[in-house]
Structures are given as C-alpha cells and as structure tokens.
C-alpha cells in the first residue's frame, strides 16, 4: 500500500504530440496521475496547429502551444523558418517552465517535447521519456542522456538509450477500450452491423491510408464471399471515394471515422491496420488477430519495425505497403477462411501484452520525485 507521501499532489508538465499515437498515451498518463491524486496539477505543452491542441482540452486538460515544426530532411533550404520557430519555442518553453514550476517534465515524443524537456533538464528538473515505438524517435534519442527514466514497450531499446534508465512498462491505452464489457454481438449491433456475421475491421488511421483503402476496395467481393462483413474506416479524405466504390456491395459499412473504437475492437474477428504503436498495444491487450500494413511515410520506417516485432512472434501478419495491392485482399480472405490461424495470431498477440502501463509510468514519475 502506497503512503500518503507517495501519493501527494504533483505539478507535472506533459509534452509532445503530433499524432494520436503520442496524444492518447499522454492523456492516459495524465488520467493515471489524477487517479493517484486528484489535486495533481497537469499542464500539457504541444505544437500549435497539431491535433493535441484539440484533443487535450477535450479530455479536460489545459494545454499551451509552441510554434515548433519538424525539420525537412529532403529540402534542407526550407529549414531556416524551422530554426526560427525552434528559437521562439525554446524561449516560450523557458517561460512555461518558469511560470508553472513543474516538479517533473514528461516527454511522449513529437516536436514539442524537445524544447520543453531540454529546458527542464537545463534547470535540473527531473525528466521522464515515454517511447512508444520499437525504433526510438529522434527527439527522445536527443533527450535520453539526461532523462531520469525512459519507459518503453519493446525489448532491445538499449541500442538507443542508456540501459540503466530503461523501464519496460508498455504503452498506455485508452481505458474505455480495455474496460469494455460488450460481447461481440452487442458490439456489432451497437455499430449497426449484423450480430451473427464475422467482422473484418479496416482502419487506416484517423486520416486514412490510401494504399489500404485501394487494396480493400479491390477485394470487397472476395472478402465478403467468406461470410464476413466489413467495417471500413476510410479517413475523411477518402470517404466519398470509398463510399462510391462500396455502392451496391452487401455487408460493407463505410465510415470516415469510428468514434467508438471500444465497440469496433470487440466486434472484430480480424483487423487490418497500419502499425502505429498505440494501435499495436491495443491489439495486444485485446488479443485481436491482425494484418498490419506499416506506413512507409514515417520517421526511420518505425512502423515496419513495430509490425515486424509482432510478425516475428507469429502475433500478426505483416503485408508491406508496396505489396498490399497484390497481397492484402488475398491475405484477409485466407485468414477469414481459417479460424484456427486467427486464434493463434490473437493468442500470441495477447501473450505480448504489457498491462497497467499508465500505472507503471505513474510509479516511475513518483519514484523520480520522491
């Protein structure tokens, strides 16, 4: 049993974002800190114009934005403006640290965490990094040497970080996803699907994935011929196009965005997805059989490395983006015709799950301060 001192209210900055893969773990950490002590003061710092500036206030937390942006590695001449924004962000981060007076700064990756945690480290404020991926991000690698603890979700991360600072915690996921008690039939009905028909859940991320959408569109008939129905999140950009391609097709439900992912996961017999770290953690915690199509448009090709970590354990099937037009439909069709293979994938994914990650990270935060 933790003592009152160990549970005392804290002043915490959580910085980073840019994608849901950074933002959802950050909010989960904040929620765990508030469960530990509701009086804990939490300030988020994100990048102006990025999705955290909307998602964090919607979750009930204050956020300040920095004018920071990422470097253009292909067109180096464009980086003068990036350097100006970085200088402004460092000045604003210094003011935020001075005014808020945090006891600890937590970085979850993304542009904004660099200036904030660098400034915290300069003032000898303890820092904790949370690295979601199997291949560490540039910002976290830059900050690692002076970080008190580095919370990771994959083994072998000592090739990026000081081994003595690494703590294996897993990635925090949204509580509603893990805690849902819906049966598959109830979840399907809640989503407007047939309760007794198996479901292929297709998710290309909140913005969609062109290759995944086009490959699924070309395979709608062969997939539904297995007796499955398809719940297809296309992303807003591709919604009208995919809706037209699914017109007249039975057992295909097309939507731009699925707001109730807890129900979608419970409904799914097989998932087709990109290989972002948060999605993979959710797949593991729920034991969902999956076909992972890693995005080739991410730093250091980290999604392929995320997917490979599961494929090596026979916990998912990986189809590379370049191969998806040729292989994705066939792979999904074969898996829907093979329930035993799906069970094996789901069981192996479940064995990789790391549970209570948000509480473990909160323990690390308190241990650094106390």
């Amino acid at each position: 049993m933790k003592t009152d001192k160990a549970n005392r209210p804290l002043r915490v900055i959580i910085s980073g974002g840019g994608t849901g893969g950074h933002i959802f773990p950050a909010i989960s950490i904040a929620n765990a800190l508030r469960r530990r002590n509701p009086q804990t003061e939490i300030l988020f710092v994100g990048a102006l114009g990025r999705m955290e500036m909307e998602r964090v206030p919607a979750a009930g937390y204050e956020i300040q934005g920095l004018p920071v942006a990422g470097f253009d590695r292909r067109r180096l001449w464009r980086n003068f403006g990036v350097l100006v924004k970085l200088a402004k962000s460092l000045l604003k981060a210094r003011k935020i640290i001075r005014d808020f007076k945090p006891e600890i700064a937590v970085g979850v990756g993304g542009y904004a965490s660099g200036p904030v945690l660098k400034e915290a480290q300069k003032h000898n404020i303890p820092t904790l990094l949370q690295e979601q991926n199997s291949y560490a991000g540039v910002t976290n690698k830059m900050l690692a040497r002076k970080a008190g603890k580095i919370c990771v979700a994959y083994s072998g991360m000592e090739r990026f970080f000081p081994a003595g600072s690494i703590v294996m915690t897993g990635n925090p996921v949204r509580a509603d996803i893990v805690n849902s008690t819906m049966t598959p039939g109830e979840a399907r009905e809640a989503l407007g699907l047939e309760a007794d028909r198996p479901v292929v859940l297709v998710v290309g991320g909140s913005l969609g994935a062109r290759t995944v959408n086009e490959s699924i569109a070309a395979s709608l008939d062969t997939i539904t011929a297995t007796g499955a129905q398809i719940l297809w999140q296309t992303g807003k950009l591709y919604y009208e196009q995919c809706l037209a391609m699914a017109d007249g097709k039975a057992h295909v439900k097309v939507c731009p965005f699925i707001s109730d992912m807890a129900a979608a996961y419970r409904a799914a017999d097989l998932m087709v997805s990109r290989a972002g770290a948060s999605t993979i953690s959710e797949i593991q915690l729920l034991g969902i059989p999956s076909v992972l199509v890693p995005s080739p448009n991410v730093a250091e090709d980290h999604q392929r490395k995320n997917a490979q970590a599961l494929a090596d354990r026979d916990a998912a099937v990986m189809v590379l983006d370049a191969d998806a037009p040729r292989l994705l439909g066939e792979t999904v069709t074969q898996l829907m015709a093979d329930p035993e293979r799906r069970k094996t994938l789901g069981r192996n994914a479940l064995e990789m799950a790391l549970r209570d990650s948000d509480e473990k990270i909160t323990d690390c935060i308190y241990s650094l301060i106390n």
Side-chain angles (χ1 to χ4, degrees), residues 6-316:
N7 282 331
R8 69 182 178 83
L10 306 177
R11 295 177 64 81
V12 183
I13 280 181
I14 301 178
S15 186
T19 67
H22 294 307
I23 296 163
F24 293 131
I27 292 172
S28 294
I29 293 168
N31 291 342
L33 284 164
R34 282 276 172 85
R35 285 197 303 272
R36 194 72 61 91
N37 193 307
Q39 276 72 53
T40 288
E41 296 182 53
I42 299 170
L43 174 65
F44 280 79
V45 182
L48 289 170
R50 302 305 293 264
M51 64 189 294
E52 59 263 27
M53 301 307 294
E54 295 181 5
R55 295 290 177 88
V56 168
Y61 294 100
E62 180 187 352
I63 186 167
Q64 294 194 33
L66 303 181
V68 67
F71 281 90
D72 191 328
R73 301 179 193 183
R74 295 180 181 176
R75 294 162 292 189
L76 296 178
W77 64 89
R78 293 193 172 189
N79 287 320
F80 177 75
V82 174
L83 290 171
V84 172
K85 289 180 178 179
L86 177 59
K88 291 180 178 177
S89 296
L90 285 166
L91 287 172
K92 187 167 183 181
R94 187 176 306 162
K95 184 177 187 304
I96 289 170
I97 294 287
R98 185 176 67 241
D99 293 348
F100 186 71
K101 298 179 176 61
E103 295 173 79
I104 189 167
V106 177
V108 296
Y111 308 142
S113 64
V116 175
L117 269 78
K118 200 75 176 170
E119 197 62 33
Q121 290 174 345
K122 190 184 297 185
H123 288 81
N124 296 317
I125 295 166
T127 55
L128 177 145
L129 304 180
Q130 200 260 321
E131 175 56 61
Q132 299 91 21
N133 294 294
S134 61
Y135 194 94
V138 172
T139 304
N140 278 350
K141 285 191 285 187
M142 178 185 72
L143 296 165
R145 187 172 63 85
K146 293 185 177 180
K149 290 186 184 293
I150 305 167
C151 298
V152 303
Y154 294 89
S155 59
M157 298 302 286
E158 59 275 1
R159 67 191 192 277
F160 305 113
F161 302 133
S165 303
I166 294 172
V167 184
M168 180 71 79
T169 60
N171 287 324
V173 303
R174 291 167 280 185
D176 62 314
I177 286 174
V178 179
N179 297 334
S180 173
T181 59
M182 283 187 287
T183 65
E186 289 169 346
R188 291 168 191 161
E189 288 181 345
L191 294 163
L193 302 171
E194 295 181 34
D196 298 326
R197 186 178 291 270
V199 172
V200 176
L201 171 63
V202 181
V203 179
S206 58
L207 300 178
R210 182 175 60 83
T211 306
V212 172
N213 284 335
E214 291 177 352
S215 303
I216 290 296
S219 309
L220 293 175
D221 291 336
T222 56
I223 295 171
T224 55
T226 65
Q229 56 192 327
I230 301 173
L231 177 59
W232 185 8
Q233 176 183 289
T234 64
K236 293 178 182 178
L237 184 62
Y238 304 102
Y239 174 62
E240 296 296 337
Q241 175 189 356
C242 293
L243 190 64
M245 289 189 286
D247 186 40
K249 306 283 188 186
H251 310 305
V252 180
K253 180 170 183 177
V254 181
C255 51
F257 184 75
I258 299 171
S259 57
D260 190 353
M261 280 304 297
Y265 280 134
R266 286 296 188 275
D269 295 85
L270 179 70
M271 182 172 178
V272 179
S273 175
R274 288 303 200 190
S278 289
T279 299
I280 284 183
S281 294
E282 289 162 356
I283 285 170
Q284 291 171 332
L285 283 164
L286 299 175
I288 300 173
S290 62
V291 180
L292 300 174
V293 186
S295 171
N297 306 312
V298 294
E300 281 88 23
D301 199 21
H302 69 252
Q303 284 204 8
R304 184 181 65 79
K305 298 175 178 72
N306 290 350
Q308 191 69 57
L310 271 72
D312 288 346
R313 297 273 295 270
D314 198 27

